[in-house]
Amino acid sequence: MENESQLAKTRTQVPRLDLSQDARKAVHGKHPIGRFNSRVAVLITKSVGSMWCAYLFALITLVSLPAAISSHDPIIIVGWIAQTFLQLVLLPIIIVGQNVLAAASDARAESDHKTLLAIRALSLLQLGEQQLEARNIQSALRTYQEAYALDPDNPATNYFLGYLYTENHQIEKGIEHLKRALTQNEQYPPAEAALAYALRLQADKMTDPVEKKLRYSEAEQMLLQALSKDPAMRDINGESFYAMLGAVYKRLNRMDEAIEAYKAAELVTPQNSYPIVNLATLYYLRGDLEQAKQYYDHSAAISSRMLDHNPFDYWARFDLSAAQLVLGNLEQAKRQFNLAAQH
């Protein structure tokens, strides 16, 4: 909590970008006369502060050079060099040099400003992950929105935002951010898998059976591709993406492949009840009641342990409720379901 409180303070600490052009407002003010004076001064400075003007001034000074030399007077010659040539020629050259240095300073300021914004965005990402672990979903969503405003091209920010929007039933918005994450980093398996999850949710809402099957197949291929790169990856809820693949197979009525996918998920997350309760359900649907009962017992035990660690894990409560219902513990099932529904 202390770390979250410290990180939360970064919300009010936005790095400010001050460029040389901002100094004009401080010198002449923001009122109309001040803006007019600034424009006139800048126009004259740009006109005089160029190498072409330096070349022109050099030619002008050469007009009086013959007279200075013919005088044979050292004082006149030195005066021509110091007061005529050097003053006229060096003035625009010095202004050009100052402009170059100011441009370099502005470039460094912009680079430093972007770096500071990226660092602040990273601190918000860290805060968002802590909020996700605490299941403060709406707070995490707001945090990632702030991080996105600071650094819209960050793949991780777009991944988390895309996933949260998807889970918040804003699927189109979620897909937009997930595609943006993949645009910035093509080799980002979690974003690929999350995009597949969003496509699966899209398919769930489709009424045309052909389009629905095609979208499920697209989600399947994307999940297989992502899992081939990183079989052990998990989603923001800590579940294996193999479980998502199992869900796709269930919807395609490919039950054997769904069982294998959930077993793979069980290997990645043996401490989670989600793949276990789905395996129990699939075996129950296949008529293998003995195997189903073993998995329901296992699911109930794991869900109870998860709730001992985190009483606010409503997904674990739903899994425990389902297991208790099938095992015949109706009162326990009803109690767990009501507790889960409160969240």
Side-chain angles (χ1 to χ4, degrees):
M1 293 297 295
E2 182 179 350
N3 289 337
E4 184 171 334
S5 175
Q6 290 175 348
L7 286 169
K9 293 178 182 177
T10 62
R11 296 177 186 273
T12 60
Q13 299 172 355
V14 180
R16 190 177 70 180
L17 176 61
D18 290 322
L19 301 176
S20 57
Q21 62 189 18
D22 298 318
R24 299 173 200 159
K25 299 176 183 177
V27 173
H28 296 286
K30 299 180 181 179
H31 49 82
I33 295 177
R35 290 198 300 270
F36 174 77
N37 290 336
S38 293
R39 290 195 186 98
V40 172
V42 170
L43 178 63
I44 294 174
T45 301
K46 285 184 176 180
S47 301
V48 176
S50 67
M51 291 307 298
W52 294 112
C53 192
Y55 300 145
L56 176 62
F57 284 179
L59 291 174
I60 292 174
T61 59
L62 292 178
V63 173
S64 59
L65 177 60
I69 294 175
S70 62
S71 69
H72 301 292
D73 188 340
I75 295 177
I76 294 177
I77 295 174
V78 171
W80 178 87
I81 294 173
Q83 298 177 12
T84 304
F85 182 81
L86 291 181
Q87 285 187 13
L88 278 178
V89 176
L90 287 183
L91 174 63
I93 293 177
I94 289 172
I95 295 175
V96 169
Q98 288 176 335
N99 289 337
V100 171
L101 291 175
S105 177
D106 283 352
R108 283 195 301 272
E110 289 184 10
S111 176
D112 291 344
H113 184 252
K114 289 179 180 178
T115 300
L116 289 173
L117 289 179
I119 291 172
R120 183 169 179 269
L122 286 174
S123 72
L124 289 172
L125 279 175
Q126 184 181 353
L127 174 59
E129 289 185 35
Q130 291 179 1
Q131 290 169 331
L132 282 177
E133 288 177 7
R135 304 305 301 165
N136 295 330
I137 304 301
Q138 293 305 314
S139 295
L141 180 58
R142 288 192 295 271
T143 298
Y144 288 124
Q145 287 169 339
E146 289 183 40
Y148 177 78
L150 293 172
D151 189 5
D153 294 328
N154 187 299
T157 302
N158 281 287
Y159 163 65
F160 282 109
L161 261 183
Y163 205 117
L164 289 173
Y165 277 130
T166 300
E167 287 208 324
N168 206 30
H169 307 295
Q170 301 180 60
I171 299 174
E172 298 300 328
K173 208 167 185 179
I175 288 175
E176 177 186 342
H177 281 284
L178 291 169
K179 286 183 175 180
R180 188 179 181 92
L182 290 171
T183 300
Q184 301 301 324
N185 185 359
E186 294 181 1
Q187 298 300 319
Y188 198 169
E192 289 181 70
L195 180 57
Y197 171 56
L199 294 177
R200 193 217 84 190
L201 293 180
Q202 267 191 339
D204 289 344
K205 296 183 177 182
M206 290 180 174
T207 55
D208 186 288
V210 176
E211 289 185 4
K212 180 186 285 281
K213 188 173 181 179
L214 287 173
R215 189 57 54 88
Y216 281 142
S217 298
E218 185 181 355
E220 174 197 358
Q221 293 304 314
M222 196 169 290
L223 278 168
L224 288 172
Q225 181 177 337
L227 286 165
S228 69
K229 298 173 185 175
D230 187 0
M233 65 178 172
R234 307 177 188 185
D235 65 13
I236 63 174
N237 298 310
E239 297 292 349
S240 168
F241 280 108
Y242 275 110
M244 286 189 186
L245 183 61
V248 172
Y249 286 142
K250 276 202 304 184
R251 285 159 175 78
L252 290 170
N253 203 29
R254 292 155 59 180
M255 297 306 180
D256 290 341
E257 290 170 282
I259 287 174
E260 292 305 313
Y262 282 119
K263 284 183 176 180
E266 180 187 5
L267 291 175
V268 176
T269 57
Q271 75 284 358
N272 289 1
S273 60
Y274 180 67
I276 308 300
V277 75
N278 277 280
L279 282 168
T281 302
L282 288 170
Y283 279 116
Y284 182 84
L285 293 173
R286 281 177 50 171
D288 192 342
L289 301 184
E290 183 179 350
Q291 190 79 302
K293 184 179 183 304
Q294 290 179 8
Y295 274 107
Y296 276 124
D297 285 333
H298 190 28
S299 174
I302 291 178
S303 300
S304 296
R305 285 200 299 268
M306 293 174 67
L307 289 170
D308 287 339
H309 176 69
N310 181 11
F312 301 102
D313 189 342
Y314 55 88
W315 290 119
R317 287 203 184 276
F318 279 126
D319 291 343
L320 180 57
S321 175
Q324 297 286 15
L325 179 64
V326 176
L327 292 171
N329 303 322
L330 300 184
E331 288 301 320
Q332 279 292 328
K334 182 179 179 181
R335 178 175 175 273
Q336 295 299 332
F337 181 84
N338 290 334
L339 287 171
Q342 291 175 8
H343 297 283

PDB file of all heavy atoms in Angstrom, residues 255-273:
ATOM      1  N   MET A 255     -14.202 -31.088 -28.564  1.00  0.00           N
ATOM      2  CA  MET A 255     -14.041 -31.331 -27.135  1.00  0.00           C
ATOM      3  C   MET A 255     -12.716 -31.993 -26.774  1.00  0.00           C
ATOM      4  O   MET A 255     -12.112 -31.682 -25.748  1.00  0.00           O
ATOM      5  CB  MET A 255     -15.211 -32.173 -26.614  1.00  0.00           C
ATOM      6  CG  MET A 255     -16.558 -31.470 -26.746  1.00  0.00           C
ATOM      7  SD  MET A 255     -16.525 -29.821 -25.963  1.00  0.00           S
ATOM      8  CE  MET A 255     -18.184 -29.257 -26.270  1.00  0.00           C
ATOM      9  N   ASP A 256     -12.248 -32.913 -27.589  1.00  0.00           N
ATOM     10  CA  ASP A 256     -10.969 -33.576 -27.293  1.00  0.00           C
ATOM     11  C   ASP A 256      -9.826 -32.565 -27.288  1.00  0.00           C
ATOM     12  O   ASP A 256      -8.955 -32.596 -26.406  1.00  0.00           O
ATOM     13  CB  ASP A 256     -10.694 -34.682 -28.314  1.00  0.00           C
ATOM     14  CG  ASP A 256     -11.625 -35.871 -28.144  1.00  0.00           C
ATOM     15  OD1 ASP A 256     -12.213 -35.998 -27.046  1.00  0.00           O
ATOM     16  OD2 ASP A 256     -11.773 -36.657 -29.096  1.00  0.00           O
ATOM     17  N   GLU A 257      -9.838 -31.651 -28.281  1.00  0.00           N
ATOM     18  CA  GLU A 257      -8.796 -30.626 -28.344  1.00  0.00           C
ATOM     19  C   GLU A 257      -8.951 -29.630 -27.188  1.00  0.00           C
ATOM     20  O   GLU A 257      -7.951 -29.118 -26.665  1.00  0.00           O
ATOM     21  CB  GLU A 257      -8.860 -29.898 -29.686  1.00  0.00           C
ATOM     22  CG  GLU A 257      -8.425 -30.764 -30.857  1.00  0.00           C
ATOM     23  CD  GLU A 257      -8.729 -30.122 -32.192  1.00  0.00           C
ATOM     24  OE1 GLU A 257      -9.912 -30.168 -32.612  1.00  0.00           O
ATOM     25  OE2 GLU A 257      -7.803 -29.573 -32.814  1.00  0.00           O
ATOM     26  N   ALA A 258     -10.200 -29.385 -26.785  1.00  0.00           N
ATOM     27  CA  ALA A 258     -10.422 -28.496 -25.650  1.00  0.00           C
ATOM     28  C   ALA A 258      -9.842 -29.100 -24.377  1.00  0.00           C
ATOM     29  O   ALA A 258      -9.194 -28.401 -23.586  1.00  0.00           O
ATOM     30  CB  ALA A 258     -11.918 -28.241 -25.476  1.00  0.00           C
ATOM     31  N   ILE A 259     -10.033 -30.395 -24.185  1.00  0.00           N
ATOM     32  CA  ILE A 259      -9.480 -31.076 -23.008  1.00  0.00           C
ATOM     33  C   ILE A 259      -7.957 -30.976 -22.998  1.00  0.00           C
ATOM     34  O   ILE A 259      -7.339 -30.671 -21.957  1.00  0.00           O
ATOM     35  CB  ILE A 259      -9.943 -32.545 -22.963  1.00  0.00           C
ATOM     36  CG1 ILE A 259     -11.427 -32.605 -22.577  1.00  0.00           C
ATOM     37  CG2 ILE A 259      -9.103 -33.356 -21.971  1.00  0.00           C
ATOM     38  CD1 ILE A 259     -12.026 -33.997 -22.638  1.00  0.00           C
ATOM     39  N   GLU A 260      -7.341 -31.212 -24.150  1.00  0.00           N
ATOM     40  CA  GLU A 260      -5.877 -31.128 -24.229  1.00  0.00           C
ATOM     41  C   GLU A 260      -5.392 -29.708 -23.938  1.00  0.00           C
ATOM     42  O   GLU A 260      -4.362 -29.515 -23.280  1.00  0.00           O
ATOM     43  CB  GLU A 260      -5.396 -31.584 -25.614  1.00  0.00           C
ATOM     44  CG  GLU A 260      -5.606 -33.060 -25.896  1.00  0.00           C
ATOM     45  CD  GLU A 260      -4.969 -33.946 -24.827  1.00  0.00           C
ATOM     46  OE1 GLU A 260      -3.810 -33.695 -24.465  1.00  0.00           O
ATOM     47  OE2 GLU A 260      -5.634 -34.882 -24.354  1.00  0.00           O
ATOM     48  N   ALA A 261      -6.132 -28.704 -24.420  1.00  0.00           N
ATOM     49  CA  ALA A 261      -5.736 -27.312 -24.171  1.00  0.00           C
ATOM     50  C   ALA A 261      -5.832 -26.980 -22.689  1.00  0.00           C
ATOM     51  O   ALA A 261      -4.930 -26.344 -22.119  1.00  0.00           O
ATOM     52  CB  ALA A 261      -6.619 -26.369 -24.984  1.00  0.00           C
ATOM     53  N   TYR A 262      -6.904 -27.418 -22.031  1.00  0.00           N
ATOM     54  CA  TYR A 262      -7.052 -27.141 -20.598  1.00  0.00           C
ATOM     55  C   TYR A 262      -6.017 -27.905 -19.773  1.00  0.00           C
ATOM     56  O   TYR A 262      -5.565 -27.420 -18.729  1.00  0.00           O
ATOM     57  CB  TYR A 262      -8.469 -27.468 -20.129  1.00  0.00           C
ATOM     58  CG  TYR A 262      -9.476 -26.406 -20.504  1.00  0.00           C
ATOM     59  CD1 TYR A 262     -10.555 -26.705 -21.334  1.00  0.00           C
ATOM     60  CD2 TYR A 262      -9.348 -25.103 -20.031  1.00  0.00           C
ATOM     61  CE1 TYR A 262     -11.484 -25.732 -21.670  1.00  0.00           C
ATOM     62  CE2 TYR A 262     -10.273 -24.130 -20.373  1.00  0.00           C
ATOM     63  CZ  TYR A 262     -11.337 -24.444 -21.197  1.00  0.00           C
ATOM     64  OH  TYR A 262     -12.252 -23.467 -21.533  1.00  0.00           O
ATOM     65  N   LYS A 263      -5.635 -29.092 -20.232  1.00  0.00           N
ATOM     66  CA  LYS A 263      -4.574 -29.829 -19.532  1.00  0.00           C
ATOM     67  C   LYS A 263      -3.242 -29.087 -19.659  1.00  0.00           C
ATOM     68  O   LYS A 263      -2.451 -29.050 -18.708  1.00  0.00           O
ATOM     69  CB  LYS A 263      -4.458 -31.249 -20.091  1.00  0.00           C
ATOM     70  CG  LYS A 263      -5.554 -32.188 -19.622  1.00  0.00           C
ATOM     71  CD  LYS A 263      -5.336 -33.600 -20.148  1.00  0.00           C
ATOM     72  CE  LYS A 263      -6.390 -34.554 -19.603  1.00  0.00           C
ATOM     73  NZ  LYS A 263      -6.199 -35.939 -20.115  1.00  0.00           N
ATOM     74  N   ALA A 264      -2.997 -28.512 -20.834  1.00  0.00           N
ATOM     75  CA  ALA A 264      -1.792 -27.693 -21.009  1.00  0.00           C
ATOM     76  C   ALA A 264      -1.831 -26.476 -20.097  1.00  0.00           C
ATOM     77  O   ALA A 264      -0.816 -26.081 -19.508  1.00  0.00           O
ATOM     78  CB  ALA A 264      -1.661 -27.266 -22.468  1.00  0.00           C
ATOM     79  N   ALA A 265      -3.025 -25.881 -19.959  1.00  0.00           N
ATOM     80  CA  ALA A 265      -3.168 -24.736 -19.047  1.00  0.00           C
ATOM     81  C   ALA A 265      -2.923 -25.159 -17.608  1.00  0.00           C
ATOM     82  O   ALA A 265      -2.311 -24.416 -16.823  1.00  0.00           O
ATOM     83  CB  ALA A 265      -4.569 -24.138 -19.188  1.00  0.00           C
ATOM     84  N   GLU A 266      -3.370 -26.352 -17.255  1.00  0.00           N
ATOM     85  CA  GLU A 266      -3.152 -26.851 -15.893  1.00  0.00           C
ATOM     86  C   GLU A 266      -1.666 -26.990 -15.585  1.00  0.00           C
ATOM     87  O   GLU A 266      -1.210 -26.701 -14.466  1.00  0.00           O
ATOM     88  CB  GLU A 266      -3.850 -28.202 -15.723  1.00  0.00           C
ATOM     89  CG  GLU A 266      -3.688 -28.804 -14.333  1.00  0.00           C
ATOM     90  CD  GLU A 266      -4.243 -30.210 -14.234  1.00  0.00           C
ATOM     91  OE1 GLU A 266      -4.674 -30.764 -15.278  1.00  0.00           O
ATOM     92  OE2 GLU A 266      -4.222 -30.770 -13.117  1.00  0.00           O
ATOM     93  N   LEU A 267      -0.885 -27.394 -16.589  1.00  0.00           N
ATOM     94  CA  LEU A 267       0.562 -27.536 -16.395  1.00  0.00           C
ATOM     95  C   LEU A 267       1.219 -26.169 -16.174  1.00  0.00           C
ATOM     96  O   LEU A 267       2.170 -26.046 -15.402  1.00  0.00           O
ATOM     97  CB  LEU A 267       1.189 -28.227 -17.609  1.00  0.00           C
ATOM     98  CG  LEU A 267       0.828 -29.702 -17.808  1.00  0.00           C
ATOM     99  CD1 LEU A 267       1.429 -30.226 -19.113  1.00  0.00           C
ATOM    100  CD2 LEU A 267       1.332 -30.542 -16.630  1.00  0.00           C
ATOM    101  N   VAL A 268       0.709 -25.144 -16.843  1.00  0.00           N
ATOM    102  CA  VAL A 268       1.287 -23.800 -16.712  1.00  0.00           C
ATOM    103  C   VAL A 268       0.864 -23.169 -15.383  1.00  0.00           C
ATOM    104  O   VAL A 268       1.666 -22.508 -14.719  1.00  0.00           O
ATOM    105  CB  VAL A 268       0.837 -22.909 -17.892  1.00  0.00           C
ATOM    106  CG1 VAL A 268       1.362 -21.479 -17.703  1.00  0.00           C
ATOM    107  CG2 VAL A 268       1.346 -23.474 -19.208  1.00  0.00           C
ATOM    108  N   THR A 269      -0.401 -23.376 -14.995  1.00  0.00           N
ATOM    109  CA  THR A 269      -0.925 -22.756 -13.761  1.00  0.00           C
ATOM    110  C   THR A 269      -1.567 -23.832 -12.878  1.00  0.00           C
ATOM    111  O   THR A 269      -2.797 -23.843 -12.710  1.00  0.00           O
ATOM    112  CB  THR A 269      -1.961 -21.668 -14.094  1.00  0.00           C
ATOM    113  OG1 THR A 269      -3.011 -22.269 -14.885  1.00  0.00           O
ATOM    114  CG2 THR A 269      -1.333 -20.519 -14.863  1.00  0.00           C
ATOM    115  N   PRO A 270      -0.757 -24.718 -12.297  1.00  0.00           N
ATOM    116  CA  PRO A 270      -1.329 -25.792 -11.464  1.00  0.00           C
ATOM    117  C   PRO A 270      -2.011 -25.275 -10.209  1.00  0.00           C
ATOM    118  O   PRO A 270      -2.796 -25.987  -9.589  1.00  0.00           O
ATOM    119  CB  PRO A 270      -0.106 -26.648 -11.114  1.00  0.00           C
ATOM    120  CG  PRO A 270       1.062 -25.727 -11.246  1.00  0.00           C
ATOM    121  CD  PRO A 270       0.706 -24.787 -12.361  1.00  0.00           C
ATOM    122  N   GLN A 271      -1.738 -24.033  -9.825  1.00  0.00           N
ATOM    123  CA  GLN A 271      -2.323 -23.456  -8.621  1.00  0.00           C
ATOM    124  C   GLN A 271      -3.672 -22.814  -8.884  1.00  0.00           C
ATOM    125  O   GLN A 271      -4.341 -22.377  -7.952  1.00  0.00           O
ATOM    126  CB  GLN A 271      -1.357 -22.414  -8.020  1.00  0.00           C
ATOM    127  CG  GLN A 271      -1.302 -21.082  -8.764  1.00  0.00           C
ATOM    128  CD  GLN A 271      -0.509 -21.141 -10.063  1.00  0.00           C
ATOM    129  OE1 GLN A 271       0.048 -22.166 -10.434  1.00  0.00           O
ATOM    130  NE2 GLN A 271      -0.438 -20.013 -10.754  1.00  0.00           N
ATOM    131  N   ASN A 272      -4.107 -22.750 -10.139  1.00  0.00           N
ATOM    132  CA  ASN A 272      -5.364 -22.084 -10.490  1.00  0.00           C
ATOM    133  C   ASN A 272      -6.481 -23.102 -10.721  1.00  0.00           C
ATOM    134  O   ASN A 272      -6.251 -24.190 -11.255  1.00  0.00           O
ATOM    135  CB  ASN A 272      -5.190 -21.228 -11.742  1.00  0.00           C
ATOM    136  CG  ASN A 272      -4.340 -19.998 -11.482  1.00  0.00           C
ATOM    137  OD1 ASN A 272      -3.860 -19.801 -10.359  1.00  0.00           O
ATOM    138  ND2 ASN A 272      -4.149 -19.176 -12.484  1.00  0.00           N
ATOM    139  N   SER A 273      -7.672 -22.695 -10.363  1.00  0.00           N
ATOM    140  CA  SER A 273      -8.823 -23.602 -10.475  1.00  0.00           C
ATOM    141  C   SER A 273      -9.507 -23.540 -11.833  1.00  0.00           C
ATOM    142  O   SER A 273     -10.256 -24.455 -12.186  1.00  0.00           O
ATOM    143  CB  SER A 273      -9.842 -23.264  -9.383  1.00  0.00           C
ATOM    144  OG  SER A 273     -10.298 -21.918  -9.530  1.00  0.00           O
TER     145      SER A 273
END
